[in-house]
Amino acid sequence: MKRIGMFTIVIVSFLFGSDLFCQEIVVPPGYGTLNDNITKNGANKIYKLQADKWYGLNAILQTPGPITIIGETPAPGQMPAIIQTGTNPDGSTFHEMFDITADFTMKNVFLVNADLNNTTGAWMFNQTANARIVFDSITADPVGWQSFLAANADKKETYITNSLLMRHGNTISSVDGWFIYSEGQRAQNWDTLYIENNTIVNTGLFVYFSDNFPQGVNNFVWFNHNTMLFQKGEIKYSYVTNSDFFTNNLLWQGCFTPFLHAWNDSRIDGGPKNEISSDVCADTLNGETLPSQRTAFVEYNSNSKD
């Protein structure tokens, strides 16, 4: 019995981490109230938002340290708590909604990355320091015209589960951004990228793209049991992953953008005589010999196109 109790404590601690010991702050709805409460109360807090209420950002929200934002469970007929981006003094929309500087968890909220003038922002989240990021049961509509999450940090550990993510990119160009973006020429791209049980509608050119796509290493990528509709280009445009799983996904009109032959010059092994493109890209490291010791499991997926 003692062993079972200790095991339960370990599992709960893993799932909720330091949230078990954080003070809860109930944030009243309104313009700037989320920014003001986080500025006032700081890190290591759980910020609770009211269902069916509006929280307008009055500035890009930079996290002061580890925080959690949780929306109240809506009653029947209610919306989740709504967080909406804002407008700069010059009339432009905030470039991103959140700057993430430490561990960050968000659950059960509705994110709107368009201001009150219906102008869409570029990024929804911008990770600027090492962090573990968890998104669970969120809705994002619109995501933004360039990225849901752009990350420029050495440690990137990201979990996206049970969420509805809609309207990323634009309709004026096929080259319109990347849903998840590893920024910078790093030898290590993502440590953990875990995407499961989501519905993703209308993404831009890439779902996951890294600046160092030829040789930057992802440690673990898990893309399982997701539904994707109207996805333009490659799903994973990052070629080297130690453990790579793409399973049980349902795509409709996936990778539908016509492929321009001249794009081959930027593809690994591409060139005038080759057409090298793939929904889930993979290649060897420089100097690596086959058979590789890395894992790549791509099975049980369906891509239907009219």
Side-chain angles (χ1 to χ4, degrees):
M1 183 66 69
K2 288 183 180 179
R3 289 183 180 179
I4 295 174
M6 181 60 67
F7 178 76
T8 302
I9 291 172
V10 169
I11 292 299
V12 171
S13 298
F14 174 78
L15 290 175
F16 296 99
S18 59
D19 286 358
L20 292 171
F21 311 103
C22 288
Q23 179 187 1
E24 293 186 355
I25 307 292
V26 178
V27 182
Y31 177 68
T33 57
L34 183 57
N35 299 77
D36 294 344
N37 272 266
I38 290 176
T39 299
K40 176 183 176 181
N41 296 289
N44 300 305
K45 303 292 192 301
I46 299 173
Y47 293 91
K48 303 197 76 172
L49 310 186
Q50 299 175 38
D52 213 30
K53 300 297 183 181
W54 178 78
Y55 295 83
L57 300 182
N58 61 7
I60 295 171
L61 201 161
Q62 184 177 73
T63 62
I67 65 168
T68 295
I69 298 173
I70 299 180
E72 178 186 21
T73 301
Q78 286 187 327
M79 291 278 290
I82 300 168
I83 305 175
Q84 185 171 8
T85 195
T87 306
N88 293 304
D90 64 2
S92 62
T93 309
F94 297 159
H95 185 268
E96 64 263 15
M97 295 179 68
F98 294 84
D99 279 346
I100 299 174
T101 64
D103 290 356
F104 180 82
T105 298
M106 176 175 280
K107 299 181 180 181
N108 207 27
V109 299
F110 192 117
L111 297 157
V112 181
N113 195 13
D115 63 16
L116 294 176
N117 297 315
N118 201 28
T119 303
T120 305
W123 298 348
M124 188 163 271
F125 296 96
N126 180 26
Q127 180 187 343
T128 57
N130 296 345
R132 179 181 185 267
I133 299 174
V134 176
F135 300 110
D136 181 61
S137 301
I138 68 170
T139 299
D141 182 23
V143 165
W145 68 265
Q146 192 172 55
S147 292
F148 171 74
L149 171 62
N152 193 347
D154 292 330
K155 179 187 175 184
K156 298 182 284 290
E157 185 181 345
T158 306
Y159 303 84
I160 306 172
T161 54
N162 309 311
S163 295
L164 173 61
L165 311 168
M166 300 176 64
R167 294 196 294 166
H168 164 242
N170 60 52
T171 59
I172 61 175
S173 171
S174 61
V175 185
D176 59 355
W178 18 94
F179 191 79
I180 296 170
Y181 173 34
S182 179
E183 189 178 6
Q185 294 292 327
R186 286 179 167 79
Q188 170 101 19
N189 285 327
W190 235 274
D191 179 67
T192 299
L193 182 59
Y194 187 100
I195 304 174
E196 185 169 74
N197 203 38
N198 304 286
T199 299
I200 305 172
V201 182
N202 204 19
T203 61
L205 182 60
F206 303 126
V207 175
Y208 168 44
F209 172 74
S210 61
D211 279 341
N212 188 11
F213 62 86
Q215 292 290 289
V217 178
N218 306 287
N219 183 47
F220 178 77
V221 175
W222 177 268
F223 202 98
N224 180 61
H225 202 263
N226 300 283
T227 300
M228 300 181 62
L229 295 85
F230 304 110
Q231 177 257 323
K232 283 185 178 177
E234 287 92 340
I235 294 169
K236 176 175 168 284
Y237 196 60
S238 182
Y239 280 77
V240 183
T241 304
N242 289 331
S243 296
D244 199 3
F245 297 87
F246 188 84
T247 53
N248 304 305
N249 298 290
L250 178 62
L251 285 74
W252 193 74
Q253 302 290 10
C255 198
F256 67 82
T257 299
F259 191 81
L260 184 64
H261 191 76
W263 290 348
N264 283 320
D265 292 340
S266 67
R267 265 60 178 176
I268 296 175
D269 298 329
K273 297 182 179 180
N274 300 315
E275 294 186 6
I276 307 298
S277 185
S278 176
D279 280 353
V280 181
C281 299
D283 202 357
T284 54
L285 280 164
N286 288 333
E288 184 179 16
T289 57
L290 295 176
S292 173
Q293 299 303 305
R294 293 178 291 112
T295 301
F297 191 76
V298 181
E299 291 287 352
Y300 313 120
N301 304 289
S302 175
N303 186 2
S304 178
K305 299 182 182 181
D306 286 342

